[in-house]
């Protein structure tokens, strides 16, 4: 599940997500101001300027 707003959002993972865990960890480690793991919620939180809808879509 993806939730995004003007200042960031979160990606909520299912019970058995099909993701590369090491790649996710490296992303969080390389950009700690932008990404944080929320283990309690099973989510990846991100913070960035996305006030315009086009910016929300363009973010990686």
């Amino acid at each position: 599940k993806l939730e995004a707003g003007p200042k960031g959002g979160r990606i909520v993972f299912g019970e058995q997500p099909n993701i590369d865990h090491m790649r996710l960890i490296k992303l969080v480690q390389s950009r700690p101001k932008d990404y944080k793991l929320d283990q309690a919620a099973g989510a990846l939180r991100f913070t960035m300027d996305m006030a315009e809808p086009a910016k929300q879509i363009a973010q990686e």
Side-chain angles (χ1 to χ4, degrees):
K1 179 178 176 181
L2 173 64
E3 300 171 347
K7 295 186 181 196
R10 67 185 188 153
I11 299 171
V12 181
F13 300 105
E15 288 184 34
Q16 297 292 324
N18 185 17
I19 59 171
D20 181 343
H21 294 92
M22 289 308 298
R23 189 171 179 186
L24 182 62
I25 290 169
K26 287 180 183 179
L27 174 67
V28 173
Q29 290 175 339
S30 68
R31 295 177 59 187
K33 291 182 180 181
D34 298 328
Y35 297 99
K36 299 198 183 322
L37 286 174
D38 181 349
Q39 292 180 344
L44 173 67
R45 296 187 180 276
F46 54 93
T47 305
M48 54 192 64
D49 176 23
M50 300 187 309
E52 299 171 31
K55 285 185 179 181
Q56 293 176 13
I57 294 170
Q59 292 302 322
E60 297 179 28

